[in-house]
């Protein structure tokens, strides 16, 4: 995997908000994710971005509007 950590972001259409989770590289790989992954599912759109640290993810998430980080 390219990064140490990945941010799984689900944009929930009905609620107009993002639910996000931090995954390790191993967890992301097990789900078939890679950096830049985008997929549509019933009720939400999935985005996955890779980061080198959890701090970088938290900094990124702090700039998002209506985003809940689930840890």
């Amino acid at each position: 995997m390219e990064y140490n950590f990945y941010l799984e972001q689900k944009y929930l259409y009905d609620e107009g908000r993002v639910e996000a989770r931090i995954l390790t590289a191993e967890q992301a790989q097990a789900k078939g994710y890679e950096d830049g992954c985008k997929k549509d599912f019933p009720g939400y759109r999935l985005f996955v971005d890779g980061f080198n640290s959890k701090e970088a993810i938290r900094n990124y998430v702090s700039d998002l509007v209506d985003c809940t980080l689930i840890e």
Side-chain angles (χ1 to χ4, degrees):
M1 299 291 293
E2 186 176 351
Y3 294 95
N4 295 325
F5 299 96
Y6 288 79
L7 182 64
E8 175 189 69
Q9 305 158 81
K10 293 180 180 178
Y11 175 72
L12 307 172
Y13 295 128
D14 291 345
E15 299 178 34
R17 66 180 186 87
V18 176
E19 190 174 274
R21 287 183 174 78
I22 297 173
L23 305 174
T24 64
E26 293 80 17
Q27 291 170 317
Q29 186 173 27
K31 291 184 172 213
Y33 294 166
E34 58 185 49
D35 184 46
C37 177
K38 294 178 187 169
K39 296 181 183 178
D40 287 311
F41 293 92
Y44 68 94
R45 174 174 273 183
L46 174 74
F47 298 91
V48 179
D49 293 301
F51 293 86
N52 288 319
S53 69
K54 287 185 179 181
E55 293 83 27
I57 290 175
R58 288 188 184 99
N59 185 50
Y60 174 80
V61 169
S62 72
D63 290 336
L64 298 177
V65 176
D66 292 327
C67 179
T68 303
L69 181 60
I70 300 169
E71 296 190 67

